[in-house]
Amino acid sequence: MWIQSFIDYLRYERNYSARTIEEYQADLEAFERYYKTLDCELTWTSVDGDIIRQWMLHLMADNNNSPASVCRRLSSLRSYYRFLLRRGMVDKDPARMVVGPKKEKPLPAYVKESEMNRLLDEEGVFTPDYAGKRDRMILLTFYSTGMRLSELVGLNVADADMGLRQLKVTGKRNKQRFIPIGREMMESIADYMAARQLFADRHATDAEALFLDERTGSRISRHKVEARVKKYLSMVTMQKRRSPHVLRHTFATSMLNNEADLQSVKELLGHESLSTTEIYTHTSFEELRRLYNQAHPRAKEKGGNYGH
């Protein structure tokens, strides 16, 4: 009866969707069934935090629920008990002090080195006009520097210092950093700048912006860069995420896989804290694990479960 009162509240007063209401009801009924199996005398008023913690452990250990799934169910209980408290139906909220399991952070998606090489090196991927040269330069810049989308869009011609072989990047809170560029990047910038000059000679353009929109001549927009990156990554990878941020992840992962130290990658990415950069070590370890399982004779499954 109490659960139904809460469901009516969600439906008629909060206007929750039918799907959300079903989830709340299923969560609460599942918990009620669980505590009744422990002690048939238990009620919503006599349940305590320990029973809720036992239920969470049961969901993870016996039912193989993910931490995120358990946290969602705990959230249902908290909402329910808050409702009961406001209605004076219980005098305490046993779920309030219960801490949910720590959610696992998803590993950052990245593009394989071989896929990036195919994208940047194969003939016919980019058109020979200004837009094609610009698009290749954008892809190479993301992959070679790991800069953010906003940082790339904000680049000016003056930020490319060919003498010192570095790019000046303006990051979050207008904090500037300098990223070194290698020989391929130098040659590509020179080629791109020649194409940009020819384009500027024929069109009214933004004189400062490094990357220009081929239709308007103004600074290229974030939306357009995202669309171009998605288009080109779709040519070489089947993964769902195909954004500029994936190329930032790709840069960091490639650096660590090729023995760059974590502090250097942190500085190049413009991270405030080393802990932000450390997630890429997990990605690199997963790649190492994959190569090990693929190459080592005792890691392969041959009637046993080696390597797992």
Side-chain angles (χ1 to χ4, degrees):
M1 184 174 65
W2 285 7
I3 293 177
Q4 188 58 51
S5 295
F6 178 62
I7 295 304
D8 289 342
Y9 162 74
L10 296 180
R11 178 177 290 117
Y12 301 117
E13 295 186 39
R14 299 300 302 274
N15 294 315
Y16 279 14
S17 70
R19 173 68 182 275
T20 301
I21 290 171
E22 286 174 8
E23 289 176 347
Y24 270 105
Q25 186 164 2
D27 292 342
L28 296 175
E29 289 176 349
F31 178 64
E32 187 174 44
R33 285 194 300 272
Y34 174 77
Y35 73 65
K36 287 294 185 183
T37 62
L38 298 179
D39 184 346
C40 63
E41 299 297 321
L42 282 172
T43 65
W44 288 106
T45 57
S46 57
V47 162
D48 59 22
D50 285 340
I51 291 174
I52 296 174
R53 292 184 188 93
Q54 282 181 251
W55 181 54
M56 290 162 55
L57 185 62
H58 163 72
L59 289 173
M60 294 185 70
D62 300 334
N63 288 12
N64 211 24
N65 281 267
S66 68
S69 176
V70 173
C71 284
R72 184 185 65 76
R73 286 164 169 76
L74 177 60
S75 177
S76 295
L77 273 186
R78 287 172 174 159
S79 297
Y80 180 57
Y81 268 108
R82 284 197 298 269
F83 167 81
L84 296 180
L85 271 174
R86 286 195 299 270
R87 297 296 193 276
M89 300 160 84
V90 297
D91 56 12
K92 61 181 174 61
D93 176 4
R96 187 173 67 87
M97 300 302 292
V98 176
V99 178
K102 189 174 181 180
K103 296 180 184 179
E104 298 176 358
K105 289 185 178 180
L107 293 176
Y110 66 97
V111 183
K112 294 178 182 177
E113 195 172 324
S114 59
E115 293 171 338
M116 287 306 302
N117 289 339
R118 196 161 86 245
L119 179 61
L120 294 169
D121 296 339
E122 282 189 1
E123 295 289 334
V125 174
F126 301 95
T127 58
D129 57 3
Y130 168 72
K133 290 181 182 295
R134 179 206 60 203
D135 289 351
R136 186 183 186 279
M137 191 70 239
I138 286 174
L139 270 291
L140 182 62
T141 301
F142 276 131
Y143 182 46
S144 299
T145 68
M147 68 176 65
R148 301 176 179 93
L149 171 60
S150 59
E151 294 170 344
L152 180 133
V153 170
L155 282 176
N156 290 324
V157 173
D159 292 331
D161 191 324
M162 305 298 276
L164 294 177
R165 295 191 172 192
Q166 64 185 22
L167 283 175
K168 182 174 71 175
V169 178
T170 303
K172 293 181 176 179
R173 294 178 292 279
N174 290 322
K175 186 176 181 181
Q176 293 184 331
R177 68 185 187 280
F178 293 91
I179 301 178
I181 52 180
R183 189 197 305 184
E184 181 188 2
M185 185 82 168
M186 288 281 293
E187 293 173 353
S188 295
I189 289 176
D191 183 50
Y192 168 71
M193 289 303 294
R196 184 192 181 284
Q197 186 59 53
L198 285 174
F199 179 75
D201 289 342
R202 299 169 186 166
H203 304 81
T205 62
D206 183 324
E208 288 188 344
L210 181 59
F211 295 113
L212 304 171
D213 188 296
E214 75 277 15
R215 293 184 178 179
T216 65
S218 59
R219 187 182 297 272
I220 196 168
S221 68
R222 291 172 57 103
H223 177 72
K224 184 151 194 171
V225 172
E226 288 175 323
R228 304 309 286 171
V229 168
K230 183 176 182 179
K231 171 194 170 182
Y232 290 111
L233 290 187
S234 297
M235 297 178 179
V236 295
T237 181
M238 295 297 292
Q239 69 175 14
K240 292 182 179 178
R241 296 182 62 193
R242 302 166 192 167
S243 66
H245 212 67
V246 167
L247 291 175
R248 181 168 162 86
H249 296 328
T250 301
F251 163 80
T253 304
S254 295
M255 291 288 289
L256 291 169
N257 283 343
N258 287 282
E259 302 182 356
D261 66 275
L262 198 61
Q263 182 65 34
S264 298
V265 175
K266 169 188 172 291
E267 296 298 324
L268 291 168
L269 290 172
H271 284 161
E272 293 288 338
S273 169
L274 196 63
S275 62
T276 309
T277 319
E278 283 175 344
I279 190 170
Y280 296 110
T281 64
H282 301 303
T283 304
S284 298
F285 182 74
E286 287 302 313
E287 177 68 8
L288 189 63
R289 186 204 301 275
R290 185 188 67 79
L291 291 172
Y292 171 77
N293 286 338
Q294 185 180 70
H296 197 283
R298 298 295 295 177
K300 299 174 182 177
E301 294 186 24
K302 292 182 179 178
N305 198 27
Y306 307 125
H308 296 278

